[in-house]
């Protein structure tokens, strides 16, 4: 029984390790796309903000924008 548990644990750890390697590869690919974007003149910081906004649910995005507008008005930022 302990041997089967040890094998299962080893297999799970190995899966996690493979997924971590894949994740690193994807992160490298994303970094390359941002570098390419910058090379052709796009503002990478703004692109990252757009990606973050697109991930949000529309209601959450609207709420965040409303709060941001409220804070900006309170601080006199146009």
């Amino acid at each position: 029984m302990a041997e089967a548990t040890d094998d299962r644990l080893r297999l799970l750890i190995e899966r996690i390790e493979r997924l971590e390697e894949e994740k690193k590869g994807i992160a490298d690919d994303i970094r390359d796309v941002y570098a390419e974007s910058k090379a052709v003149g796009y503002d990478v910081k703004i692109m990252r903000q757009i990606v973050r906004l697109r991930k949000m649910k529309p209601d959450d995005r609207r709420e965040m924008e409303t709060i941001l507008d409220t804070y900006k008005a309170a601080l006199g930022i146009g």
Side-chain angles (χ1 to χ4, degrees), residues 14-71:
E14 288 172 356
R15 272 179 56 199
I16 291 168
E17 290 171 341
R18 280 192 304 276
L19 290 169
E20 288 290 343
E21 280 300 313
E22 289 177 29
K23 183 169 74 170
K24 182 187 177 305
I26 290 170
D28 290 344
D29 292 346
I30 291 170
R31 187 174 46 251
D32 291 345
V33 172
Y34 279 120
E36 179 183 343
S37 301
K38 185 175 182 176
V40 296
Y42 290 107
D43 186 319
V44 172
K45 189 158 76 169
I46 299 301
M47 288 178 65
R48 288 183 189 278
Q49 288 177 344
I50 294 296
V51 169
R52 190 176 70 243
L53 288 172
R54 288 172 52 112
K55 285 182 188 177
M56 296 174 78
K57 294 177 185 172
D59 289 340
D60 293 341
R61 187 172 51 242
R62 274 191 292 278
E63 179 181 354
M64 185 206 60
E65 289 170 349
T66 299
I67 294 169
L68 180 62
D69 289 342
T70 301
Y71 283 21

